[in-house]
Every structure is written in C-alpha cells, then in structure tokens.
Amino acid sequence: MRLEAKWKLVLRVVCMAILSPGYSTTSSARKIIPPDMVQGDGGTLRAFLLAFGYPVVEEHLARKVRAAQIAGIARLTPFVVAANFINAIVVAPVFMRFQPVSYVTLWLAAITVLLGLTVRNWLRNRQCPILETSPRGPAKAVLYATGFSLLWAAVPLGAFAGGDTAGIWIASCVTTAMICGGGFALATVPQAAFRWVAILFVASAGALIINPVEASWLLLFLLASYTAVVIGSVASTGWLFASHFLAEAELEQRDELIALLMNEFEEKDSDWVWEADSRGNLRNVSERFLAASGRTHMELHTMGMIDLACSLDHEDAQTGAVELETVTRSRAAFRDIVVGVEVNGEERWWSLAARPVHDHRGGFAGYRGVASDITESKRASALVSHLAEHDSLTGIGNRSWFLKQAELLLEDQKREGHATLTLFLIDLDNFKVVNDTCGHPAGDELLRQVADRFTALSEGRTVLARFGGDEFAALGKFVSDQAATAFAEDLVNVTRKPFTIGSRDFAIGATVGFTRLRDRLDTVDDLMRKADIALYKAKESGRGRALAFETEMEREVREKRELEADLREAFEYGRLNVDFQPIVDSRSGKVVSSEVLLRWLHPVRGEVPPDTFIPIAEHAGLILPLGNWVLRKACAAAAQCPELDSIAVNLSPVQFMDPNLVGVVSGILAETGFPPERLVLEITESVFLRDQGSASRKLEKLRDLGIRVALDDFGTGYSSLSYLRKYKFDKIKIDKSFVDEIGERSDGLAIISAIIALAHNLGLEVTAEGVERKFQVDALRTLGCDTMQGYFFGRPDPNPMNITSLGPTHWQDTETKPDSATSGSLKSVS
C-alpha cells in the first residue's frame, strides 16, 4: 500500500510529532491509530508509524528499532558538535556589538554545557553500544533537540530585535543552516527532528513578524516552504530507515524458520540433515543418512563428506568432490553441489547444501546442511542430454553435438599449430527412391544401416553425425591430402555395396564434399561453407563421387550469388527485356510466328546468356514471377500485332510444375486480351522427369483453352518418342544440334527426315531451330519441314511489328554463329 492512500493519517502523525513528540509512546496512541488501520498493510504504513514510535510491532522489535534510531543520531554526533561550536564562535562576536555581553556569555555557557553533555553521552555509548532501548531513549533525544533549538532560537530573535544588519544576515544564514543540518542529523528520530525544526521556524517567523524588514513577507514565505521541504525529507528518511530495519528483521525471522524446517528433513524419504565438526568429520548421523549412505555409524563417524564424495570413480563425481573440498576449505556457505557416492556397489548422486556453524565465541565449529538423493533426476538429465546430442534414429551424433565437437577440435588445432582437420559432408544418392517405393520404415532402416557402415569406417578416425534426412557429416585429423581423399572415397565406396531391407536389395551410393583446414583464421562455419560448396560441385558433376574444395569453387559460388543479386535488382527495376525471333513458313518464306526470347543486358558483364541466368532464377525462386512477367509482356505486345499467327513462349520445368499454371496463363490471356489460339507454350523433356501424374492433366487443360503445346529440343533426351505417345502435342521443334550437322554428317539429314516424317504421321507441325545458312534452308525445305527459325531469317527485335516485314529479300547467309542465337528463350537447360 502506498502512503498517499492514508494521507490524512500521515498528516495527523506528523502534526502530533511536532506538537507532542511523546504522545505516540502512551497508551492513548492506540486511539489515534486504530489497529485495523494497519491490518492488511504490506509494511509501508507500519514502517512509517514505527519510525514515529507508535506501537505497531512487538515490543522486543520496537526496542531494537529505537536503539538503531539513537545509533543513527550518534554516528553524526561529532559533526553536530563541531557545527554547533563553529556557529557559536561566529555568532557570539557579532552579537556582542548590539546585545549585552552578559546575555551572550550566558548563551555561550548554555551551549557549551549542552555540547559537553552530548559528547559525554556519545563517548559512553561508544564504549558500551546500546542494542535495545525503551521509549525513554527517543524522548531524551527530543529533550536534547528542544534544548538546543531553544538556545538557537534566541539568535534570530536577538538579531531582528537589535536591528543590526550584519547580525540579521549572520542570524539568517546560521538559522537556515541549523534548520537543514539539524533536521537531517536527527532524521532517524523524526519526533526530535520535527521539534528542532518547529522551534527554529517559529522563532524565525516571529522575528520577521515582530520586527519586519524589507520584503519580510517574501522571506517568511521562503522560510515556510523551505521548512516544509525539510519536514517532508525528514519524514521520508525516518520511514525508509524503519522500512530497512523491518526488512532485516523479517529476513532474520525467515532464516530462523528455515533453520527450524531443516530439522524436519530427517523424516523425509529423499532428504536428510548432515553435520560436520570443525575438522570435517561427520557427527549426529541420522537414520536416514545411514540408509542413504549404506554405511554404519562407526564408519560414518570416522569419515567426512569429502571422503564420501571421493568414493565414486566418475569424472563428474571427481569434479563435484573438488568443488566441495574448495568451498569447505574456505568455510563458506554453499548449495547445489552435486557429488557422486558409491553405495553398496551402486552409483548414487547427492545434492549438498550447508552453511557454516559458529560457537558462542564466533569461532568456526563446522557445517550443518541438508543432502538430497538426486540419482533419478541425474539419470533423467543424462538421458535428456544424450537425446539432445544424438540422432534418435541412428544413435550417432546430431548436428548440434557435431558443431560443438568441431569447435573443440578446431581450438585444439589452432592451439597446437596444426592444420590436419578435415570436414566431410555426405549426401546419399537415390535415397528418395527407397522411401517412395518401400515407404518410410524401409528408408529409416536404410539410414540405420548406412550409419552403421559409416561408424565402422570412422571409428578412431573421425567424429560422425547425421544432420537430418539423408545428410551425414564427419570430422577428423588427416596428415595429408591423400589420406583425406582416400577416406572420402571410402565413404563413397562403402555405400555402393547393396543394402538388404526385407527381401530386397538397394544400391544407392553417396556424394562427398570435403575441405581441409588451410587458414588458421577459418571458423567451423567457414569449413562447413567450403565443404558444402565442394558437395554442391560434386553433385553438379554427376554425383557418386568425392570432391575436395578448391578456392576456384568459392569464386564461382560468389559470382553466382552476385549474379543472383543483380538479377533480382534487374527484375525489380525493369531492366530485363523480351525480343521476338521470327519463325518463317518454309514454303512462302513469310514470318508466321515468333519465339519470345528473354534478354538481360548487364551494365558491367554485358549480355548475360539465358542458359546462365535462368538456372540462377530457378534456384533463387525467381522463375515463377519472371516467367509470368515474360508471358504477360509477350502477350501484351503480340496483341498489337495481328500479322503474327502465333507467338511461342518457353515454360521452365519449375513453371510447369506450378499447380496454379493453368489459372495463371488464362488470367494473363484475359488481362492482355490475347487470343489463346495464337499462343504456343514450349516445354522440354526435363518437365516429364519431374512428372508425378499431373503433366497430362495440365496439358489437356491448356489445350482445352485453345493453347497449342510444343515439345522443344526434340531428339536430345532419352525418351522423346515415348513422350509423343504418352502426351498430346501440337508441334515439335528439332534441336539446333541436328540442324548444325546438315552438310557435315551424312546421317544428320537422315535423322531430320525421320523426325519430320514421324511428326507428320502423328499430325504434328515441325519447326527447325538454329537455321543460319542458305544450304540448311534448302535442305529443310526439301525434307518438308513446316517452319524454321534462326539468325538466317533476321535478328530478334523487341517490337514484333518489325519482324513481320522480313522476307526472303532480307535473308542473309550468316557464317558467324552468335553467342546467344538459339539460347535466348526462357527455358531450363537442365
């Protein structure tokens, strides 16, 4: 409760302390402060009343509080005496000029007598400190304060009565200082401080009223406000002093209660009290202690707690024993020290707490404390710790544990000045096949068998962990690059042997990327990053192999990341463009269609080929918004060019796998007003490698909208013919690699002729890509190719209107093959 809530009571107490300081110590005080007023109070009001001597606590505690209040004044007594003496020396000579010498001499004598009595009492209390006192102690302080204040009250009265200017100034300064200094010196006994301040205030105010000077009312106002501030400060100081004392008393009572409760531990099942003498030997052994220790009275009385703590041969137990020995040697209190104890051949764990015991002379007499058997919680904690650091499926370490071990090994390497540490990251190949064909239980069994093989291979050489999924890691010291490479290849080879799961055998394989500690400044994160780069490059180059990290790899990765950032910026700020490459009718030579090509002109790198930035866009998650942007921009431009029968837009595999593809395409067509019959979507064979049964449905939905679908790069995949049977297309595009062979290889024309004949028999239109020379045009016409595209017919242009005017008169035989002649479309190169 805050004091503001009882402001009337507080004001009444302050007024009574000024008018009748001894009133609170009488039995009538209970009428002013009814008991129910302090009931339920959290201690704030009780402390305030206690500071003013009201009977709100037990008498023995009140006696201690009074003694502490008197001691607070006594600590400042030398300064108070010195201040009174100095002020008297300053005041006396000045007042002798306008007051009778006999009066001043009498005043000095009275001051001297009171100061002498004060010093005598102070010296007596120093020799024999007062620990408790009756209400007479504060009353005596009030009496002394009254006497001194009356003597000093004569100063302003005499100065103003005499009318001497110097005397008035001296009296004003001294009185102000005495009000402040005396008030704060007596603050621990607010009744005495209030009596002191009240008398000096009344005297000063009376002097101003009886013998006014210039601006007397202003001085009177300042004096009143200053006195009010001093009274408030004194009341606050007294309250804080009593609050602090009450808090200490409550702590002492709590300590006594705790000491009392410790005696009850002997009746509990898992806790017991123990005692030791000044030499550390156990004493007063309880039955519970006997049962917990598994020893006899005679044995325990010849042992110390240190001996019990050293009975278990365990690393953690030895650590606890050393900690216990250290703290008991310093004779300090302690708690929660865990020690291991051998009890009847069993490992037990105790938690110890104790505080030193002292004899009546204050000397160290031993320890008294409590012990708890925490064996079960220790075992549970060890199990939790094990589970937190080990993979629950395979039993080997997990990522968190592995990284901690890596930090320790790296610190050892740097401290010893060695550079033999090698980090291996391992990815299993074709693991998904096992999960998909036989279910997750079979996959879990496979992971356990892999972990067993890796453990056998790594034992004594590396620490091993499973990071999650089909990812593993190993870390060890290898004296040479050859030794590290040999271990990495062993990791690959050990997974090539078939794994038997149930009645089936699986051959999966693994890919390993590894790096050795080259730079002493490298951290674990640096090693992880480099090993991961090596693993990525190993996967990129075909899987099923081990590859060491090289600096050039990091440069490539950094360049890709920079290129990714530049691509994001280019896409965000509209720095990408689309061009339209003409597709001509083989018979008439008229431009009938166009393939949409995505262009990126980098401000530093120049034109970046799509086969460079499209995979980056797929990896960075940009391909969907980028592909939609290309389709929208192409349809909007082509809608303004009715001369083109159609436009062809490539879809990357990531785009095609988007479940919202049909909705997105139909939305863009509606937005741009482009007829679906004029749109051709080109897809590559890699789309079907990711097919999970939805490709056919998507193709049907697209064709139902009126959109035509073309199979791009025909003839370069593994199963192009089977795709023609399984899926419905409207046209196929012969890959540029076959067109380039016209005139160079005799079988080139035969393959193209077979593709054209096959397509026509299936009712499909055929387009040849990458046509760049006149003899290629003649040959394709002769073979019956429907349409052709390539630099021979004209350069791509950002405006589709410009390519519709191209014709045979514009064709030129181009001997030089441009960098991005046929790779400018938005399609994956995977």
Side-chain angles (χ1 to χ4, degrees), residues 515 519 522 525-534 549 554:
T515 184
D519 189 341
D522 274 353
D525 289 340
D526 293 328
L527 294 177
M528 290 288 294
R529 176 175 49 81
K530 292 177 179 179
D532 191 54
I533 290 173
F549 170 80
E554 190 168 26

Side-chain angles (χ1 to χ4, degrees), residues 128-178:
C128 185
I130 299 175
L131 300 180
E132 295 184 8
T133 185
S134 67
R136 286 182 298 175
K140 188 180 293 186
V142 173
L143 182 62
Y144 270 87
T146 302
F148 272 109
S149 60
L150 287 173
L151 288 174
W152 284 106
V155 172
L157 291 172
F160 280 86
D164 184 78
T165 303
I168 290 174
W169 279 107
I170 291 295
S172 299
C173 293
V174 168
T175 303
T176 303
M178 295 301 282

Side-chain angles (χ1 to χ4, degrees), residues 40 136-137 220 246 249 424 428-429 459 483 583 714 811:
R136 286 182 298 175
L220 185 62
L246 278 180
F424 305 84
L428 302 184
D429 301 331
E459 193 165 358
I583 299 176
F714 184 80
W811 298 349

Side-chain angles (χ1 to χ4, degrees), residues 410-687:
L410 186 59
E411 288 178 8
D412 289 342
Q413 289 271 290
K414 292 181 177 180
R415 185 170 53 252
E416 297 169 359
H418 297 158
T420 61
L421 201 62
T422 307
L423 176 65
F424 305 84
L425 293 182
I426 311 143
D427 256 14
L428 302 184
D429 301 331
N430 303 317
F431 173 72
K432 188 174 181 296
V433 175
V434 180
N435 267 343
D436 292 344
T437 57
C438 298
H440 289 285
D444 292 346
E445 176 58 26
L446 175 62
L447 290 173
R448 282 190 284 267
Q449 292 187 26
V450 169
D452 290 342
R453 292 189 187 182
F454 284 166
T455 300
L457 186 63
S458 301
E459 193 165 358
R461 304 167 70 183
T462 66
V463 293
L464 180 68
R466 175 177 172 238
F467 277 10
D470 60 349
E471 300 175 1
F472 292 80
L475 182 70
K477 300 175 182 179
F478 293 85
V479 295
S480 65
D481 293 348
Q482 292 77 11
T485 302
F487 180 77
E489 290 176 350
D490 289 342
L491 290 171
V492 173
N493 293 332
V494 79
T495 59
R496 286 177 177 160
K497 300 175 183 178
F499 293 87
T500 302
I501 301 174
S503 59
R504 298 184 59 180
D505 289 343
F506 291 92
I508 54 171
T511 304
V512 178
F514 65 98
T515 184
R516 287 173 59 74
L517 179 63
R518 304 291 187 187
D519 189 341
R520 287 181 57 83
L521 298 178
D522 274 353
T523 63
V524 172
D525 289 340
D526 293 328
L527 294 177
M528 290 288 294
R529 176 175 49 81
K530 292 177 179 179
D532 191 54
I533 290 173
L535 178 62
Y536 173 79
K537 295 297 291 184
K539 291 179 182 178
E540 196 177 56
S541 59
R543 294 182 173 271
R545 57 177 299 196
L547 190 63
F549 170 80
E550 296 178 3
T551 307
E552 183 66 19
M553 296 179 184
E554 190 168 26
R555 185 189 63 79
E556 292 178 10
V557 170
R558 186 169 59 251
E559 286 185 355
K560 285 186 178 181
R561 288 175 180 168
E562 292 174 355
L563 201 61
E564 178 184 328
D566 293 344
L567 179 60
R568 288 183 183 277
E569 184 178 345
F571 178 60
E572 182 178 354
Y573 293 102
R575 297 171 187 165
L576 300 174
N577 299 299
V578 293
D579 283 356
F580 295 83
Q581 185 178 34
I583 299 176
V584 303
D585 183 85
S586 298
R587 297 170 184 82
S588 65
K590 178 184 175 183
V591 176
V592 294
S593 183
S594 171
E595 181 175 1
V596 178
L597 309 178
L598 179 60
R599 300 297 196 195
W600 179 20
L601 186 62
H602 194 279
V604 177
R605 303 172 187 265
E607 186 170 351
V608 182
D611 58 359
T612 298
F613 70 80
I614 292 301
I616 293 176
E618 290 182 339
H619 179 74
L622 276 175
I623 195 63
L624 287 180
L626 183 59
N628 295 339
W629 175 82
V630 170
L631 181 61
R632 182 178 292 104
K633 192 171 182 65
C635 290
Q640 307 302 317
C641 183
E643 290 83 3
L644 287 177
D645 295 341
S646 64
I647 59 168
V649 180
N650 289 98
L651 292 181
S652 77
V654 176
Q655 277 182 281
F656 190 80
M657 296 302 295
D658 180 16
N660 301 319
L661 173 66
V662 177
V664 170
V665 172
S666 62
I668 291 175
L669 291 175
E671 176 187 338
T672 59
F674 190 68
E677 296 79 11
R678 294 178 59 194
L679 178 62
V680 178
L681 295 179
E682 297 183 358
I683 59 177
T684 60
E685 179 184 319
S686 57
V687 165

Side-chain angles (χ1 to χ4, degrees), residues 104-297:
V104 176
T105 302
L106 181 62
W107 178 80
L108 279 174
I111 289 286
T112 304
V113 170
L114 281 179
L115 289 178
L117 292 174
T118 301
V119 171
R120 187 194 66 177
N121 291 336
W122 177 71
L123 292 174
R124 182 185 303 167
N125 291 336
R126 285 198 65 185
Q127 293 175 354
C128 185
I130 299 175
L131 300 180
E132 295 184 8
T133 185
S134 67
R136 286 182 298 175
K140 188 180 293 186
V142 173
L143 182 62
Y144 270 87
T146 302
F148 272 109
S149 60
L150 287 173
L151 288 174
W152 284 106
V155 172
L157 291 172
F160 280 86
D164 184 78
T165 303
I168 290 174
W169 279 107
I170 291 295
S172 299
C173 293
V174 168
T175 303
T176 303
M178 295 301 282
I179 288 175
C180 178
F184 286 110
L186 299 169
T188 55
V189 182
Q191 306 96 306
F194 286 172
R195 176 58 63 86
W196 171 277
V197 172
I199 291 175
L200 289 178
F201 169 74
V202 170
S204 300
L208 283 171
I209 294 172
I210 295 171
N211 299 297
V213 295
E214 186 178 354
S216 291
W217 292 106
L218 179 60
L219 292 176
L220 185 62
F221 172 74
L222 292 175
L223 178 64
S225 60
Y226 190 71
T227 302
V229 170
V230 172
I231 288 176
S233 300
V234 168
S236 177
T237 302
W239 165 60
L240 290 174
F241 180 86
S243 297
H244 177 71
F245 200 91
L246 278 180
E248 288 186 344
E250 289 178 0
L251 286 176
E252 288 182 3
Q253 290 179 351
R254 190 176 303 170
D255 289 343
E256 292 175 0
L257 179 61
I258 291 174
L260 194 60
L261 290 175
M262 286 181 66
N263 294 328
E264 300 179 7
F265 277 118
E266 299 203 25
E267 304 299 326
K268 295 180 65 178
D269 291 334
S270 60
D271 303 274
W272 62 93
V273 171
W274 64 276
E275 296 182 39
D277 58 24
S278 59
R279 293 175 297 177
N281 294 329
L282 295 169
R283 66 182 184 185
N284 298 331
V285 177
S286 66
E287 293 299 323
R288 173 64 192 134
F289 195 173
L290 286 174
S293 65
R295 291 167 173 81
T296 64
H297 270 287

